[in-house]
Amino acid sequence: MLNVIWLIPLLPLCGFVINVVLGRRLGDPKSGLLAAAMCGAAFIVTLVTYFDLVSRPEEARQHVATIFSWIPVGGLSVDAAFLADPLSITMALFITGIGTLIHLYAVGYMHGDPKFSKFFVYLNLFAFSMLMLVLGENMLVTFLGWEGVGTCSYLLISFWHTRESAATAGKKAFVTNRVGDWGFMIAMFLAFQAVGSLSYSALNSAAMGGTLVRSTATAITMMLFLGACGKSAQLPLYIWLPDAMEGPTPVSALIHAATMVTAGVYLMVRVNPVIATAFTWAPAVIAIVGAATALFAATVAVAQTDIKKVLAYSTVSQLGFMFLAVGSGAYVAAIFHMVTHAFFKALLFLGSGSVIHGMHHEQDMRRMGALRKLMPITAGTFIIGWLAIAGVPPFAGFWSKDEILLAAWAHPTNPALFKVLWGVGLFTALLTAFYMTRQVIMVFFGKARWEDHSGDHGAHGDFKPHESPAIMLLPLVALSGLSIVGGVLNLPFTDSTKRLLHWLEPLVHFGEIEGHASAGEKWGLAVGTAALCLASMGVAIFVYQRNRAQAVEPQILADGWRYDRFVSWFMGHPGRQAFEATAWVDRNIVDGAVNGVATGVRRSGAVLRRTQSGFVRNYALLIGGGVVLMLAWFLLRAVGVFG
Amino acid sequence: MHLLLSPMQQTDKLISPSVNWGSLTPLLVLLGAGLVLLVGAALSARGWAKGLYATLTAAAAVAAGVLQFVLWNSTVHHGPKSLVGEALVVDGPSLFIGISICAALLLAALVTDDYLRREDIDSPEVYGLYLMAALGGLVMAASNDLIVLFLGLEVLSIALYVLAASHRKRIESQEAGLKYFILGGFSSAFFLYGVALVYGATGTTRLRGPESIKTALALTVETDKHRALLVVGVALLLVGLAFKVAAVPFHSWTPDVYQGAPTPVTGFMASAAKAAAFGALLRSVVLSMPELRDDWRPAIWVLAILTLVIGSTLAVVQTNVKRMLAYSSISHAGFILVGIEAAAHGGESGDRGIASVLFYVLTYAVLVSGTFAVSTLVGRSGDGAHGLDSYRGLGRQRPVLALALAVFLLAQAGVPLTSGFVAKFSVITAAADASSYAIAIIAMLAAVIGAFLYLRIIVSMFLEDGDAEGERVSIPFGTGAAIGISVAFTLVVGFFPGWLLELARDAATRLY
């Protein structure tokens, strides 16, 4: 079965092609069901591959399927090849699994949209790219998927491009992602330079064999981390993710919560031997950035009023947790949290989509409330997602978050720094419990605040929130099941219940840092954290349900510490001015950069002659200047000034 | 001291060099077709049937291309050789560049036919000029003598000056022709002066082979006395060629001329002229003056960085698509200069640099021809609709055309699975291989900035709704074929670049 792993990305690609050609004819809902079926088929193939891998002895759980030699020239040989190993198959399992559920959900959610089939074209293309990313055997195949998911994300964010904000958000996503891509590219060339190959196995074995120079490993790590920051929305490149919520909600769930944004974490885990080889400050930087992002985004989430923005900032925050784990050398915990987070965050996003759907595209939580009676299934599943993310045992999020905090607490080499990071992580966990409780109360409990505004929705006739159709509820129920039991993947009680650890062991044993914590410490931390989270939820209930205290939601938090505004200002003023200045120089001294000439020409012949000769003179002057500089250099060389 | 005996000393018996006619056939085909076209059209009273000019030009392009393949084969078996008393050579790089120029000529001929009909211009001269320009380009790429190189340069340039001004109804076109002419003449003068100085210092204008500049430079004793003369000459040669490839700060003509010239001519300029000039740069400086590389390599380094940065940042602030593409072509020249810089290191990594330059030149020639072919169609009657607005809603109006342009733009941005990615990848690998890290990093940065420009056009096409009143873009057969060929090439090379990379490497090592 391992030889046909190329089937996994191929199936969504087929769905993409069929929908491109026949999508409009198939129409609503058949084209969506086809896309979902392709994704489901990919899931089944992945599952079979998984069982095949499990049945093998541990050292044989790695297989490379080469499709063709892509760039087979001399010193550089890159294959279009896929790698099946525990890590890539774990990723592929939850991408295709959750992907199928979200495809199904989208069939209901996008019902009636004029571009219904186009949506699934993009969605299948995304699934294909994401699978390329995780299954790639070398950095170039991954890079291909990396660019692909970026493009799809961009296309899907601006799917409703008639909204101005959606188009702007798409652009922002593109630009920030390019910064990250630059880091990825540099890392790729550094790796090629260092080991003469782009394949992960060559790079990792060079790191493990000690042939990779420490400084090179550090540079590769930092550059890949820059790439990861872009893709996984870490400080300072996170700004695109909250804006990305302009896209349809299934997109937010699939791309901006469960899969694409975790690509950076995946990449870090994939090259964990390189990180382990780098100077110790490199993983420390990763951990610090992760913890800072987690805290920052959580504080912002506390004051958001848009139902999806809360979840968006929460995603940024949870991704920060994952990077904290990576930086602490707890790669298994990072993957564990990635999987459980995919379960409950997809659930929460889909739940919010169901609410938005039922509320006729209302996203402001201040106009919601008391929806649990009208949308019982959505409410029930959302509450499960809430308990999971808030870290209430025995829900999935508790176990994975606990492991990350434990890894930070017990970090052996730099205890002082990592104790501080642990503190930041713990505080973030409390904030998470707080803002999620706030959200649940504002949406599903309390007083119904939507009737007051029914006049705003005159077009809909009598406005009454309603429960979503079955095809949307089914994925919610499935995901809530996973959010409850997701923890069994890696229970800390005995050695045999740490399934994920054993499964990923061969891949991470070089980089994984074993913490030193006694059993007592572990229990104390787990129980203490859970108790504090419950207390934090209690405070939120006290504030928002009972209204016993005034809610503190300063405007600066609602504005995301004004960071976004600062970036916009910077790009709009000094950044823009830099571009404008270059253009001005070019226009006035060099040439008519911004359409100066042609429009001038049309105005009149007399002006034409003047401007034209003037311009040509300027051009000639520039060339002359270039000649002088060139001659100066060569002559100074000739007389020996520059040796 | 004088390594080449001056002709004066042998007036008693003038020996004409042996001409290897067989190896000259590609040039002869282009020359012959051009003459037939001009003479034939002048003799027939009512002109030829529509489309015949273009067909003849395209056939000549294909024939010249095929003949170069045949020569390639013989080069593989018998090694590279020189012709006409070592004035020209037939070797790997010259044939590779020659084939690129022929490809550009073929695509330009296909597009121009429809263009001239649409614009209602009947002129066989345009095709004659195309053929002459291509001939000049081939000579430049194959020259082994600075004088011959200059000859090729002038044949190419003069033809292009007229071509740029060939849309008689558009004042912008004439303005472009005049500007190009004045500045081109200016830079040609520098080049010629450079040739004279180099001759003065070395006593020869021959580039490689026996009694050439290369051998003269190897005997440093001879040239040390005239070192200042020599390096000034090299500087001026670089200026002349940097102008042709549109490297900053010798780029200033590009936006105006690209914008004003008839769009198919712009495509031809960006592809064929650039290919020829890079071929000449390789041949005259990089391959013939390795001993002076410590002098000229830093100059190339600076040119490359300026070109990359200025080209890609100024592209961002443009609103006219032809101007955007002009700046993008400047930034592509920067990428090719990165490869040239790597080639300058010599040795194994130098070969890799040459191969990357050749690969880039060919793929870019096809890519940019295709891009300007689409732009020709979108320009609509009058060739004026080149604002970003004119691309609005193209995705809905003409989805296939918009998709083709998207492929070209993505390739220009360097997205994987397109030829543009492999091209960028190979120049940057070559630079990294030659330990030119700074330039490699700046090249990647430029790629990142540049992507924004291509994105803007794609967004306009697919995401913004078009103006309903705009004239519907029509897709005639010839242009459609040119676009189809370019898309196919771009994607095939993107998916399976191995064979072409191999070919480029092969060409780089088969030097005369």
Side-chain angles (χ1 to χ4, degrees), chain A residues 185-196 203 212 216 219-221 223, chain B residues 432 437:
Chain A
M185 281 195 273
I186 299 222
M188 209 155 66
F189 282 99
L190 281 171
F192 170 68
Q193 200 59 27
V195 298
L203 181 64
L212 190 66
T216 315
I220 295 176
T221 303
M223 281 299 146
Chain B
Y437 298 115

Side-chain angles (χ1 to χ4, degrees), chain A residues 68 70-73 76 140 144 154 161 182 192-193 586 592-593 595 597 601-602 612 616 619 622 633 637, chain B residues 172 175 178-179 256 295 298 314 318-320 323 327 416 421 425 429 432 445 459 463 494-495 497-498 501 505:
Chain A
F68 62 89
W70 186 9
I71 302 179
V73 177
L76 172 65
L140 204 56
L144 180 68
Y154 165 70
H161 58 78
W182 181 70
F192 170 68
Q193 200 59 27
D586 205 60
N595 302 331
V597 186
V601 168
R602 280 191 215 100
Q612 188 178 305
V616 170
Y619 297 170
L622 183 73
W633 160 257
R637 287 271 317 172
Chain B
E172 291 94 337
E175 182 192 343
L178 188 63
K179 268 185 188 161
D256 285 11
D295 293 309
L314 283 187
Q318 304 303 319
T319 53
N320 179 298
R323 275 186 103 74
Y327 281 104
F421 169 76
F425 190 80
T429 342
L445 202 59
V459 166
L463 299 184
F495 276 91
L501 284 167
R505 263 172 72 87

Side-chain angles (χ1 to χ4, degrees), chain A residues 224-240:
Chain A
L224 281 180
F225 180 57
L226 179 63
C229 279
K231 199 59 90 192
S232 298
Q234 295 298 291
L235 280 175
L237 297 178
Y238 79 90
I239 46 170
W240 64 272

Side-chain angles (χ1 to χ4, degrees), chain A residues 329-615:
Chain A
Y331 298 99
V332 176
I335 295 289
F336 185 27
H337 196 56
M338 181 197 290
V339 174
T340 58
H341 174 256
F343 293 157
F344 60 68
K345 192 49 74 60
L347 168 62
L348 290 169
F349 262 116
L350 295 184
S352 78
S354 178
V355 170
I356 294 167
H357 189 78
M359 292 284 293
H360 302 282
H361 295 281
E362 178 60 74
Q363 294 190 203
D364 193 335
M365 296 194 295
R366 287 168 300 189
R367 296 183 180 178
M368 296 178 184
L371 287 176
R372 69 181 186 285
K373 294 203 182 91
L374 292 165
M375 313 176 84
I377 298 178
T378 304
T381 52
F382 200 95
I383 285 169
I384 291 169
W386 160 51
L387 295 173
I389 192 176
V392 175
F395 295 92
F398 166 74
W399 304 105
S400 53
K401 199 180 289 186
D402 185 50
E403 262 187 41
I404 295 175
L405 291 176
L406 178 65
W409 170 266
H411 197 274
T413 50
N414 196 348
L417 170 70
F418 279 89
K419 285 282 190 307
V420 173
L421 295 180
W422 169 80
V424 172
L426 178 64
F427 184 61
T428 307
L430 302 187
L431 279 178
T432 310
F434 182 82
Y435 67 70
M436 285 311 298
T437 311
R438 167 180 176 268
Q439 180 173 40
V440 167
I441 292 170
M442 283 179 86
V443 175
F444 294 106
F445 293 87
K447 274 194 303 206
R449 292 178 298 274
W450 34 269
E451 269 169 351
D452 308 343
H453 299 276
S454 54
D456 298 354
H457 297 273
H460 295 291
D462 55 333
F463 175 76
K464 190 171 165 48
H466 55 81
E467 185 60 286
S468 299
I471 196 163
M472 287 168 68
L473 296 178
L474 186 75
L476 288 181
V477 173
L479 284 169
S480 58
L482 289 170
S483 299
I484 295 171
V485 301
V488 299
L489 284 175
N490 206 29
L491 291 175
F493 302 121
T494 64
D495 200 46
S496 63
T497 55
K498 295 178 180 172
R499 295 187 183 84
L500 198 63
L501 180 66
H502 294 301
W503 174 238
L504 294 175
E505 173 82 59
L507 287 157
V508 298
H509 70 91
F510 189 80
E512 188 85 5
I513 295 170
E514 201 65 46
H516 305 301
S518 65
E521 262 180 284
K522 286 179 185 170
W523 276 100
L525 279 175
V527 173
T529 312
L532 284 171
C533 284
L534 284 170
S536 176
M537 291 161 75
V539 173
I541 292 172
F542 186 71
V543 174
Y544 290 97
Q545 178 75 4
R546 302 281 163 84
N547 293 317
R548 295 282 173 78
Q550 182 61 40
V552 184
E553 295 173 10
Q555 189 58 34
I556 189 165
L557 292 186
D559 293 343
W561 294 96
R562 308 220 172 94
Y563 175 72
D564 196 18
R565 207 173 289 174
F566 168 73
V567 172
S568 303
W569 172 83
F570 184 82
M571 293 308 281
H573 294 85
R576 184 80 207 160
Q577 272 163 12
F579 268 94
E580 293 288 334
T582 331
W584 184 87
V585 168
D586 205 60
R587 181 165 57 237
N588 291 289
I589 298 164
V590 182
D591 75 4
V594 192
N595 302 331
V597 186
T599 47
V601 168
R602 280 191 215 100
R603 270 185 216 125
S604 79
V607 177
L608 160 75
R609 268 202 303 281
R610 239 193 0 255
T611 51
Q612 188 178 305
S613 66
F615 276 127

Side-chain angles (χ1 to χ4, degrees), chain A residues 57-394:
Chain A
E58 201 174 280
E59 59 281 358
R61 284 178 189 165
Q62 190 166 33
H63 182 81
V64 175
T66 306
I67 313 300
F68 62 89
S69 329
W70 186 9
I71 302 179
V73 177
L76 172 65
S77 150
V78 183
D79 292 337
F82 295 119
L83 169 68
D85 69 358
L87 179 58
S88 68
I89 292 301
T90 307
M91 296 295 292
L93 267 179
F94 87 80
I95 291 165
T96 51
I98 295 179
T100 309
L101 290 175
I102 294 176
H103 271 73
L104 275 179
Y105 176 91
V107 172
Y109 190 82
M110 298 304 287
H111 174 68
D113 194 282
K115 295 194 290 179
F116 183 84
S117 64
K118 201 173 195 180
F119 181 79
F120 287 95
V121 166
Y122 292 155
L123 220 52
N124 260 353
L125 185 63
F126 170 79
F128 163 73
S129 308
M130 190 67 208
L131 289 166
M132 293 280 281
L133 194 161
V134 297
L135 290 172
E137 185 268 338
N138 54 59
M139 295 172 91
L140 204 56
V141 177
T142 295
F143 185 64
L144 180 68
W146 188 270
E147 295 273 288
V149 291
T151 312
C152 291
S153 147
Y154 165 70
L155 289 171
L156 283 164
I157 292 169
S158 8
F159 188 75
W160 286 324
H161 58 78
T162 38
R163 292 197 227 163
E164 178 61 26
S165 50
T168 317
K171 275 183 205 164
K172 201 184 249 181
F174 183 85
V175 171
T176 37
N177 267 306
R178 288 305 287 183
V179 176
D181 291 351
W182 181 70
F184 194 117
M185 281 195 273
I186 299 222
M188 209 155 66
F189 282 99
L190 281 171
F192 170 68
Q193 200 59 27
V195 298
S197 165
L198 290 176
S199 96
Y200 290 118
S201 58
L203 181 64
N204 284 340
S205 51
M208 288 190 272
T211 52
L212 190 66
V213 185
R214 212 153 191 220
S215 52
T216 315
T218 311
I220 295 176
T221 303
M222 291 325 286
M223 281 299 146
L224 281 180
F225 180 57
L226 179 63
C229 279
K231 199 59 90 192
S232 298
Q234 295 298 291
L235 280 175
L237 297 178
Y238 79 90
I239 46 170
W240 64 272
L241 188 59
D243 286 15
M245 297 303 130
E246 287 294 337
T249 303
V251 170
S252 312
L254 178 62
I255 302 183
H256 306 121
T259 56
M260 183 186 88
V261 289
T262 61
V265 182
Y266 161 76
L267 193 64
M268 295 277 105
V269 176
R270 176 55 86 197
V271 299
N272 69 80
V274 180
I275 302 179
T277 311
F279 293 112
T280 47
W281 58 261
V285 167
I286 297 176
I288 291 169
V289 171
T293 310
L295 178 62
F296 172 87
T299 58
V300 177
V302 168
Q304 297 301 310
T305 52
D306 183 313
I307 184 168
K308 281 175 77 182
K309 282 273 166 76
V310 175
L311 295 175
Y313 279 105
S314 157
T315 304
V316 174
S317 172
Q318 298 297 314
L319 288 166
F321 266 106
M322 293 174 214
F323 280 101
L324 174 59
V326 167
S328 313
Y331 298 99
V332 176
I335 295 289
F336 185 27
H337 196 56
M338 181 197 290
V339 174
T340 58
H341 174 256
F343 293 157
F344 60 68
K345 192 49 74 60
L347 168 62
L348 290 169
F349 262 116
L350 295 184
S352 78
S354 178
V355 170
I356 294 167
H357 189 78
M359 292 284 293
H360 302 282
H361 295 281
E362 178 60 74
Q363 294 190 203
D364 193 335
M365 296 194 295
R366 287 168 300 189
R367 296 183 180 178
M368 296 178 184
L371 287 176
R372 69 181 186 285
K373 294 203 182 91
L374 292 165
M375 313 176 84
I377 298 178
T378 304
T381 52
F382 200 95
I383 285 169
I384 291 169
W386 160 51
L387 295 173
I389 192 176
V392 175

